[in-house]
Amino acid sequence: MKRLITLSIILSSTFCAYAQDVEKTVTLDEVTVKAAKVVNKADGMIIYPTDAQKQASSNGYSFLEKLTLANLRIDNINHTITAIDNRGGVQLRVNGIVVGKQEMLALNPKDIVKIDFINSPGVRYGDGIAYVIDIVTRRNESGYTVGTDLTSALTTLQGDGMVYGKWNRGKSEWALSYDLSGFRTKGAKSTQLAEYTLTDGSVYTVERNSVESLRKSLAYDTKLTYNWADSTATVFQASLSGSFNEAPDNFTIMDIKDGNRQYRATSRNDDKSYSPVLDIYFWLSGNLVGISINLCKSIQKKLFINDAP
């Protein structure tokens, strides 16, 4: 019996020692911890896009279209973003700086790190702003990007085309874009009938029927931007843009019946405007300082001719 007890104690000690050795030699495989794709906050949310969303997008509008942001309508064809709840406007930013259509079309979705979606912006973003979309991107140290975006109607002479380019070197980035849009419509007709009751009870009638009309417009937009970024906390940007709009020789010919008088009237309109804008932004530790200088020049000519008998 003593020998059996002694043998049991020896076997138990050996098993415990083996178990301890096994515990010491166990290794764990590599563990990957993934952050949440959406982080909610008091005034909105931060969205971390997936690689599939970025690879399936061609510009900033098509990328935002895939995020399905609440209360926003994103039109990738017309390049517009509107609030469906009519609370106010939607402000777009890239790395804290306000941007427009040119920057959104030239944006490379593969460089996007996260989206700061703010649905309760304060007064620091401006009056009438209901939503703010701040796109945070990764800066390329070197290289260039060249692209184009063309949109054209099939049934009428109307289109919008843009070419853009970016060049990065170190902390500096140069960007240039040129946008041309326009339309031309001819032959639109309308009929107007107005009846006036005079003091003697009679009815005075004025009828206007358009015979021929022409509407055409051209718009040119170009923008040159220089951006210097030491980090996401220190950014300086200066941009010079110019917009030129022209609506040459628009006219409408109408047959007018005014009471007992009948005559033909021709209305001609010629508009030109040129607006250069200089924008300077400086972003330091979350504080944005912006200066915008707008010089607008407009020329308008109107001519109304009555071919009365």
Side-chain angles (χ1 to χ4, degrees):
M1 178 62 70
K2 291 182 179 180
R3 291 180 179 179
L4 180 61
I5 293 174
T6 302
L7 180 60
S8 299
I9 293 174
I10 293 173
L11 291 175
S12 298
S13 300
T14 304
F15 177 78
C16 291
Y18 175 75
Q20 290 177 358
D21 291 338
V22 170
E23 291 178 356
K24 290 180 181 179
T25 58
V26 169
T27 58
L28 296 176
D29 295 333
E30 181 180 355
V31 178
T32 302
V33 179
K34 294 184 178 180
K37 295 180 180 179
V38 178
V39 178
N40 294 314
K41 57 179 185 175
D43 59 348
M45 63 182 66
I46 298 178
I47 304 172
Y48 294 90
T50 63
D51 292 336
Q53 290 173 326
K54 292 188 286 187
Q55 292 175 359
S57 304
S58 58
N59 55 55
Y61 291 102
S62 63
F63 171 77
L64 293 179
E65 193 177 34
K66 295 174 177 59
L67 297 183
T68 315
L69 300 176
N71 298 323
L72 294 186
R73 180 183 291 109
I74 302 173
D75 189 345
N76 186 31
I77 302 300
N78 296 316
H79 307 141
T80 59
I81 300 179
T82 56
I84 62 178
D85 55 4
N86 297 321
R87 286 178 47 206
V90 180
Q91 186 179 93
L92 297 175
R93 292 173 176 252
V94 174
N95 297 327
I97 298 176
V98 179
V99 297
K101 184 181 73 171
Q102 292 88 346
E103 291 84 0
M104 291 295 292
L105 291 178
L107 181 65
N108 187 355
K110 295 180 181 179
D111 296 335
I112 297 176
V113 178
K114 63 180 180 179
I115 306 296
D116 189 1
F117 178 56
I118 304 173
N119 54 22
S120 297
V123 294
R124 65 187 292 261
Y125 294 99
D127 296 332
I129 302 299
Y131 299 93
V132 175
I133 303 175
D134 191 2
I135 304 174
V136 180
T137 63
R138 184 184 298 107
R139 170 66 68 87
N140 294 322
E141 293 295 331
S142 62
Y144 65 90
T145 301
V146 178
T148 182
D149 183 271
L150 302 175
T151 304
S152 179
L154 297 177
T155 58
T156 184
L157 293 177
Q158 181 175 357
D160 186 359
M162 190 187 83
V163 292
Y164 58 86
K166 281 185 178 181
W167 179 61
N168 295 83
R169 185 174 181 180
K171 300 178 181 179
S172 298
E173 178 183 83
W174 293 89
L176 178 64
S177 63
Y178 178 77
D179 189 359
L180 172 63
S181 61
F183 69 89
R184 186 180 187 272
T185 59
K186 186 178 182 180
K189 296 183 178 181
S190 63
T191 299
Q192 300 177 7
L193 178 63
E195 295 181 344
Y196 304 93
T197 303
L198 304 181
T199 56
D200 59 358
S202 61
V203 178
Y204 190 84
T205 303
V206 179
E207 184 177 354
R208 301 180 178 89
N209 297 314
S210 62
V211 178
E212 187 178 357
S213 64
L214 176 63
R215 292 287 180 270
K216 54 185 177 180
S217 176
L218 289 174
Y220 313 88
D221 293 281
T222 183
K223 189 172 186 179
L224 176 63
T225 302
Y226 172 74
N227 183 287
W228 183 91
D230 187 20
S231 63
T232 57
T234 306
V235 178
F236 170 79
Q237 177 171 303
S239 62
L240 178 63
S241 60
S243 299
F244 179 77
N245 298 279
E246 182 180 12
D249 196 26
N250 290 332
F251 68 86
T252 301
I253 300 175
M254 304 187 72
D255 284 337
I256 300 177
K257 184 178 181 181
D258 189 352
N260 296 325
R261 299 175 61 240
Q262 294 186 11
Y263 57 91
R264 175 164 291 185
T266 302
S267 175
R268 296 185 179 276
N269 189 13
D270 191 349
D271 292 338
K272 292 182 181 180
S273 64
Y274 177 67
S275 177
V277 178
L278 175 63
D279 291 321
I280 299 175
Y281 294 96
F282 183 67
W283 180 274
L284 178 61
S285 300
N287 296 318
L288 178 64
V289 178
I291 300 175
S292 180
I293 302 174
N294 191 335
L295 301 175
C296 181
K297 183 178 181 181
S298 177
I299 300 175
Q300 185 179 63
K301 296 180 181 179
K302 290 186 177 180
L303 179 62
F304 188 82
I305 303 173
N306 289 337
D307 297 332

